[in-house]
């Protein structure tokens, strides 16, 4: 899954791909009977223009969803979102 995400970034036009960096990527290992997992990473946009991650795919999963973490009553929760906003120079 992670390689497909990274390849998607690399497949962007050179000018954009040179300005988007994936840092500290990892996928949470789960037992074979568990049907879901999660990939985590920090995405850095060194461009002067805001960018958005709007989709992700991998040949090893039937579905990939975009999520963000939120703190809810002292508990961290993952919430599905339509896109990940990459502000300029962040």
């Amino acid at each position: 899954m992670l390689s497909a995400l990274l390849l998607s970034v690399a497949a962007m036009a050179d000018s954009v791909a040179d300005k988007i960096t994936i840092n500290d990527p990892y996928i949470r290992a789960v037992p074979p009977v568990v049907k879901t997992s999660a990939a985590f990473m920090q995405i850095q946009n060194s461009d002067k223009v805001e960018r958005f991650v709007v989709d992700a795919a991998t040949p090893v999963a039937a579905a990939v969803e975009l999520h963000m973490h939120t703190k809810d009553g002292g508990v961290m929760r993952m919430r599905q979102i339509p896109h990940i906003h990459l502000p300029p120079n962040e």
Side-chain angles (χ1 to χ4, degrees):
M1 177 166 48
L2 182 57
S3 63
L5 292 172
L6 296 176
L7 288 174
S8 295
V9 171
M12 289 187 241
D14 286 341
S15 62
V16 174
D18 291 340
K19 295 180 173 134
I20 304 296
T21 306
I22 305 296
N23 298 309
D24 303 320
Y26 68 94
I27 297 175
R28 181 163 293 160
V30 295
V33 296
V34 176
K35 298 192 184 281
T36 61
S37 185
F40 298 91
M41 66 197 76
Q42 294 178 356
I43 306 172
Q44 181 178 354
N45 176 13
S46 62
D47 201 351
K48 296 176 186 171
V49 178
E50 71 180 346
R51 302 289 179 185
F52 296 87
V53 176
V54 297
D55 194 15
T58 176
V60 299
V64 176
E65 299 175 349
L66 304 176
H67 288 78
M68 292 292 285
H69 288 90
T70 58
K71 195 166 193 175
D72 181 11
V75 177
M76 292 302 289
R77 301 188 188 277
M78 288 177 48
R79 302 282 187 232
Q80 187 174 1
I81 56 175
H83 64 267
I84 297 172
H85 181 232
L86 305 176
N89 297 307
E90 287 190 30

